[in-house]
Amino acid sequence: MSIEIRAISKRFGSFVALHDVTLDIPSGELVALLGPSGCGKTTLLRIIAGMESPDSGHILFAGEEATHVHARERKVGFVFQHYALFRHMSVFENVAFGLRVKPRKLRPAEAEIRRRVSELLKLVQLDWLAERYPSQLSGGQRQRIALARALAVEPRVLLLDEPFGALDTRVRKELRRWLRRLHDEMHISSVFVTHDQEEALEVADRVVVMNQGRVEQIGSPDDVYSHPASPFVYQFLGNVNVFHSRVHGAWADIGREQAQDLPADEATAFVRPHDIEIEHRPAPGGLAATVQQVHTVGPLVRVELAYASELIEVELTRERARSLALREGQQVWFRPRELRVFAVPQSGLEEGGSGI
Amino acid sequence: MPVPHYRQQLLPGFRLALGCALVYLSLIVVLPLTGLAIKASQLSLAEFWQTASGERALASYRVTFGASLLAATINCFFGLIVAWILVRYSFPGKRLIDALVDLPFALPTAVAGITLATLYAENGWIGRYLEPLGLKVAFTPLGIVVALTFVSLPFVVRTLQPVLEDIEPEVEEAAASLGASRFQTFVRVLLPTILPALLTGFTLALSRSVGEYGSVIFIAGNMPLISEITPLLIISKLEQYDVVGATALATVMLAISFVLLLAVNALQWWTAHRDGRDGAGTGQP
Amino acid sequence: MIGGPPPRRANAEPRWLRHLLIGTGLGFLALFLAIPLIAVFSEALAAGWGRYLEALVDPDAQSAIRLTLIIAISVLPMNILFGIAAAWAIARFDFPGKNLLVTLIDLPFAVSPVVVGLVFLLIFGAQGIFGPWLAANDIKVVFALPGMIIVTMFITAPFVARELIPLMQAQGREEEEAALSLGASGWQMFRRVTLPNIRWGLLYGVILANARAMGEFGAVSVVSGHIRGQTNTLPLHVEILYNEYNAIGAFASASVLALLAVVTLIAKTAVEWRIRRETRVLSESPAQERPVASASRDMGASAGSLRSNPSGEWP
């Protein structure tokens, strides 16, 4: 089922949680709401679920007005960040809850409930835990039970709030892949909230990058990473070197075509560390710098170059680093393969050199 | 992710629950107390003053507060020791003793009163050993202190226990590693940490003692000007059909209750505020 | 070091001080708690079981016991309803004046029982605010059962709410939100999620409220009128017998109340233990994480790894 979000705004006191957010979630897609803490992503998810009501704007489910439909009637499966499993019920009863509270006329027979629950427990690969209590489960198991519980009522939409946030790295990676596979099998429209860019890029069909209550960019994972629409997205997704035109005149020269329409002192170039080429000889458009440090980090080699008063971060493949044979203190020339120039007011960026 | 406070609209029953709570509280607690205030306001100032500052009344305040302060102080000292040994040391029967600390909450005050009076009487289990020392407890102001110490005993222990449990051993180890002696660690590190809880416990104990009636009247002897507590004076005014006098004294008592309640709230706010600020310092990135 | 048990703490007190502190603390508790508790029963049985039982089957004692039970049974349901309602409003919602409400709930703890009794005397008594009206309609509140029930309601008002508010705040509202999003109605949510989650805290509050309701002396004394066989509760009965120098009778009745206190302490400790276990299970980090694949591939191995979990004392 598709979800349309139309000009939603929400404040909490003087804090603007969402400002005029418009978003389409096509049927069957797995969408990530990505952004830093306090950007409004969880509030948006709760509004979609009907746990919060917007100050203005509309929500449409499959084209139908749903803004004021109670959470109970939305047929939304919600997986809470801390799972919110019913602590006094067994795993089985947790999953069966949604079926047991249906009005008598719609409630499946006991045998049918048992069948459905054990089917779901098999789906999340935890049927052997049916009689356990939530406190006896690991974090990853709780997460999957919370998912099974949400799926039991056959929701039209699945909403997950920081689904992997409380898990350790290894379990998180497993669960991520597993959620992706599950989604591919069930094809239920799903939205999940995360502050982890890697998670969003790896799992989602589409990524919605949010910041300070606004949508910064919507696109495929490749889109948002390779073609960020704003400085924020550039800095939030991966490492980036930031060059301000006034400080780094030469860089603005390189990006001149892009910077033409921008005020001269606001043009700022963004370059990913792996989009920088290092050479031993001067090349057209290349700038001279000194090698400061060379670190091998897993499959990559990270080079810090000193250029004027700034540090520039470059990432090379091991092969490339080997063929360059960089030494600390050596003079080299570097040039960007790919960069974007945005107009950023002087006060907008605090760091001048290599960004986060 | 820390989210700014939600104004919750999803959960049902707010109006019903708040309505029930307010109606109950208003009918049972607030309106009756307001009734007392109204009655008191109908007294002329002279009438009020005459009773509230009469010789017998002043003596009763002295006895009530003197004994209550003494009992609360005794409980601060021994309560700290009891809380300390219950949290820090292990010894046989600890859980039983821990449970026993709440006895004054569970034992009706009248029972405590007659029992203490019997124990501390001249021929009682304890009184007979104090008698040769020239120490009379039952039917003297000292007896009031004993009764009040009993009824307010759990307050200091129970407010201190969780605070002592929360102190991380690292803090003391750090103090020791910086060269502090055990005594210095206690005075400079532990005592400041538990001070708000100790004061809260003291105030709670005081608040309970000041209003106490049942356990005191049996052991106090109830001699006007010497061992008569204010609640008893209220009762005796009532028995003489002196409603005006009783109302005046009750108003004074009620005002004191409010002050002590506010003091407890302020102390708890102080504790929470202090801890909150410490917590925020480490919690925020 | 080798051979002797290692010290529990690097900076523990010296042995003599530890013993001194334990000795002082236990001595204090023995003097003020243990000896009085033993004395109640010992005094009650001073003249043997025969006299003891005789004192208890006395019609006045019987009627006092009955009245005490009636008051407790009338007060507790109101108290439970109020406690749950107040805790639901305070722990689940934000509203202006919330702190004031919390303070008001505490108020009955601070007011002297004698003042409480007097307050209701001033309202419902012969010269009270509603006195003439009540007299005209021949309704007896003061010096009768209704007055005793009302003052007990005042005295016990905070107990259940005080237990539930922090408990519900600690539990958070997510489980209830989950229940609603799964289609539960408000009542279903309350009955199936809220109530089971707070049941131990509720029981705890009820135990304390019950002990106070049955044992209240000062406030009930003011409004009771002390009519033997009619408006005497057990604590008032104790007072009357004691003042008549009937020590055996007084302590026999007192021993019933002391027994109630002991049962209260046992029940309270059991419930406390239960609550602590539940909150500990919740707060401790989840069991050993295991990747999804291995969990489904090999049940036996997974069960093994659960058993080897150090925090493995589950119900």
Side-chain angles (χ1 to χ4, degrees), chain B residues 208-265:
Chain B
R208 172 70 204 260
S209 294
V210 167
E212 179 55 23
Y213 172 71
S215 60
V216 175
I217 53 163
F218 297 99
I219 197 174
N222 306 328
M223 308 244 298
L225 304 179
I226 297 170
S227 59
E228 184 180 54
I229 54 167
T230 314
L232 180 68
L233 187 55
I234 295 177
I235 298 265
S236 55
K237 297 259 177 211
L238 273 179
E239 280 169 355
Q240 296 155 18
Y241 301 102
D242 179 6
V243 178
V244 172
T247 306
L249 287 173
T251 313
V252 174
M253 292 289 289
L254 189 63
I256 292 164
S257 304
F258 273 118
V259 170
L260 289 174
L261 182 66
L262 287 181
V264 170
N265 276 6

Side-chain angles (χ1 to χ4, degrees), chain B:
Chain B
M1 189 183 82
V3 186
H5 43 273
Y6 287 114
R7 213 157 19 92
Q8 198 59 41
Q9 295 138 323
L10 176 72
L11 294 182
F14 173 61
R15 280 158 199 268
L16 180 69
L18 188 64
C20 285
L22 285 180
V23 167
Y24 190 92
L25 263 188
S26 306
L27 288 182
I28 299 295
V29 177
V30 180
L31 290 180
L33 290 181
T34 320
L36 175 66
I38 292 172
K39 273 278 176 187
S41 69
Q42 287 165 351
L43 307 180
S44 75
L45 205 61
E47 265 180 322
F48 183 89
W49 193 247
Q50 201 195 349
T51 322
S53 69
E55 190 194 4
R56 212 170 145 187
L58 288 180
S60 82
Y61 302 150
R62 255 197 312 276
V63 172
T64 308
F65 277 94
S68 298
L69 282 169
L70 205 55
T73 310
I74 292 171
N75 272 327
C76 264
F77 180 73
F78 288 100
L80 176 57
I81 293 176
V82 169
W84 181 270
I85 64 173
L86 285 177
V87 171
R88 292 299 175 98
Y89 304 149
S90 56
F91 48 88
K94 185 166 124 169
R95 289 184 61 162
L96 184 76
I97 287 158
D98 195 12
L100 191 67
V101 167
D102 281 328
L103 180 70
F105 285 160
L107 192 71
T109 51
V111 178
I114 64 165
T115 310
L116 291 173
T118 308
L119 281 176
Y120 286 90
E122 276 170 39
N123 56 354
W125 290 3
I126 300 172
R128 77 175 67 149
Y129 297 106
L130 300 176
E131 178 73 13
L133 305 174
L135 215 55
K136 271 182 167 318
V137 176
F139 317 121
T140 70
L142 209 53
I144 303 178
V145 176
V146 169
L148 294 182
T149 306
F150 173 84
V151 293
S152 63
L153 188 145
F155 287 101
V156 174
V157 180
R158 290 300 185 227
T159 39
L160 277 180
Q161 256 177 321
V163 180
L164 282 175
E165 271 163 14
D166 277 353
I167 295 177
E168 290 160 7
E170 285 85 349
V171 176
E172 286 160 73
E173 282 160 9
S177 77
L178 292 167
S181 73
R182 194 71 195 124
F183 180 72
Q184 284 171 317
T185 305
F186 180 79
V187 172
R188 289 169 174 265
V189 179
L190 291 178
L191 209 53
T193 315
I194 61 174
L195 190 64
L198 198 61
L199 283 175
T200 307
F202 178 85
T203 319
L204 285 170
L206 189 66
S207 167
R208 172 70 204 260
S209 294
V210 167
E212 179 55 23
Y213 172 71
S215 60
V216 175
I217 53 163
F218 297 99
I219 197 174
N222 306 328
M223 308 244 298
L225 304 179
I226 297 170
S227 59
E228 184 180 54
I229 54 167
T230 314
L232 180 68
L233 187 55
I234 295 177
I235 298 265
S236 55
K237 297 259 177 211
L238 273 179
E239 280 169 355
Q240 296 155 18
Y241 301 102
D242 179 6
V243 178
V244 172
T247 306
L249 287 173
T251 313
V252 174
M253 292 289 289
L254 189 63
I256 292 164
S257 304
F258 273 118
V259 170
L260 289 174
L261 182 66
L262 287 181
V264 170
N265 276 6
L267 280 167
Q268 276 166 350
W269 180 86
W270 175 38
T271 315
H273 193 69
R274 207 177 66 149
D275 294 352
R277 205 160 46 196
D278 292 345
T282 54
Q284 293 296 329

Side-chain angles (χ1 to χ4, degrees), chain A residues 25 61 74 80 97 134 263 271 288-289 291:
Chain A
I25 296 165
F61 279 13
R74 285 198 191 197
F80 289 81
F97 182 88
V271 188
V291 177

Side-chain angles (χ1 to χ4, degrees), chain B residues 12 88-89 102 182 211, chain C residues 8 11 13 18 88 112 268:
Chain B
R88 292 299 175 98
Y89 304 149
D102 281 328
R182 194 71 195 124
Chain C
R8 215 163 62 89
N11 49 356
E13 289 75 36
R18 248 184 304 164
W88 181 255
S112 170
K268 182 178 158 299

Side-chain angles (χ1 to χ4, degrees), chain A residues 1 24-33 147 157-160 163-164 175-185 187-193 199-208 218-221:
Chain A
M1 187 195 65
D24 278 332
I25 296 165
S27 194
E29 266 197 8
L30 179 54
V31 174
L33 299 179
L147 197 62
V157 187
L158 189 59
L159 305 173
L160 306 102
F164 315 115
L175 267 180
R176 234 189 250 169
R177 246 172 267 146
W178 176 81
L179 177 69
R180 180 70 239 183
R181 274 205 310 275
L182 191 76
H183 180 263
D184 291 343
E185 280 168 31
H187 274 298
I188 176 171
S189 309
S190 308
V191 182
F192 72 98
V193 155
E199 203 165 283
L201 297 181
E202 191 182 315
V203 179
D205 295 319
R206 289 213 302 161
V207 178
V208 178
I218 305 172
S220 70

Side-chain angles (χ1 to χ4, degrees), chain A residues 45-107:
Chain A
L45 195 76
R46 289 174 64 91
I47 287 177
I48 298 174
M51 294 184 182
E52 211 74 59
S53 50
D55 296 337
S56 61
H58 296 274
I59 302 261
L60 287 81
F61 279 13
E64 272 173 48
E65 172 68 38
T67 318
H68 299 294
V69 176
H70 192 272
R72 190 184 304 138
E73 274 107 45
R74 285 198 191 197
K75 296 206 159 186
V76 157
F78 197 96
V79 178
F80 289 81
Q81 184 179 0
H82 300 293
Y83 324 128
L85 292 178
F86 304 129
R87 64 197 85 189
H88 63 280
M89 293 182 199
S90 67
V91 162
F92 183 94
E93 285 305 320
N94 260 282
V95 178
F97 182 88
L99 301 172
R100 291 203 195 282
V101 297
K102 278 182 193 280
R104 205 174 293 276
K105 271 177 277 174
L106 303 173
R107 195 183 305 159

